[in-house]
Amino acid sequence: MIAIISAMQEEIQALLNELKNIEISEKGMRKYYTGTLFNKNVVLVFSRWGKVASAATTTQLINDYNPTEIIFTGVAGAIKNDLNIGDVVIGKNLYQYDVDCSPIFKKFEIPILKKQYFETSDSRKLINSTSLFLGNYNKFITSNDAEKFKINNPKLIYGYITTGDQFISDSKKVNEINE
């Protein structure tokens, strides 16, 4: 079973609209929707905002559904000038820029796990399916919608993702995170 998590209900709704054979269970103030999505067994859930909410939801997913894959999807802010609306970013490594337990641990190291980042286990399927989608995105996104949202030649980016529980607007902090 594939688990798909999103931090906003609106982000998961498009997938819910396509979900077949739906069963709903509620735990921890969250609704878990199981069913089939494009002939795959899935569980969809809206985790709510923040790393703690996502971690609690992921723990519940692993405990109750034993997923083979976990995909977190949704919109995000960007601090790279070459990213545009409509681009799809697939993470190679995921960093938490606001973790700093130094001097006991290295900066960004997550205590107990002894990791400075999380790696994507196998991104080939994601890259292939995203490339297929982007090659045909005009079949899914009308030219009016593309114009309305200023989507112009969306591209796939495979690289590093950094996350934190802050909105960043200071250019000095943006440069520090990018480094």
Side-chain angles (χ1 to χ4, degrees), residues 110-163:
I110 301 157
I112 301 172
L113 298 179
K114 296 184 171 129
K115 290 184 166 200
Q116 289 183 295
Y117 57 86
F118 296 98
E119 296 174 328
T120 301
S121 58
D122 181 9
S123 52
R124 287 176 292 177
K125 288 180 184 178
L126 285 171
I127 290 169
N128 291 340
S129 59
T130 300
S131 297
L132 182 63
F133 168 77
L134 290 176
N136 296 289
Y137 90 96
N138 57 347
K139 292 180 182 177
F140 305 98
I141 299 171
T142 67
S143 57
N144 286 342
D145 284 344
E147 186 177 316
K148 179 178 165 183
F149 291 101
K150 299 179 181 155
I151 299 172
N152 221 349
N153 298 318
K155 62 187 173 294
L156 166 65
I157 307 292
Y158 177 64
Y160 303 120
I161 294 177
T162 185
T163 187

Side-chain angles (χ1 to χ4, degrees), residues 1-5 12 15-25 32-45 61 65-71:
M1 176 173 284
I2 299 170
I4 303 173
I5 307 171
I12 210 85
L15 295 174
L16 283 172
N17 293 342
E18 299 296 325
L19 191 64
K20 308 289 185 229
N21 308 312
I22 301 172
E23 290 184 27
I24 302 170
S25 64
Y32 295 82
Y33 302 87
T34 57
T36 53
L37 185 65
F38 308 110
N39 299 315
K40 300 282 185 185
N41 291 330
V42 299
V43 56
L44 306 175
V45 63
L61 278 168
Y65 299 95
N66 194 28
T68 56
E69 297 177 66
I70 300 173
I71 299 170

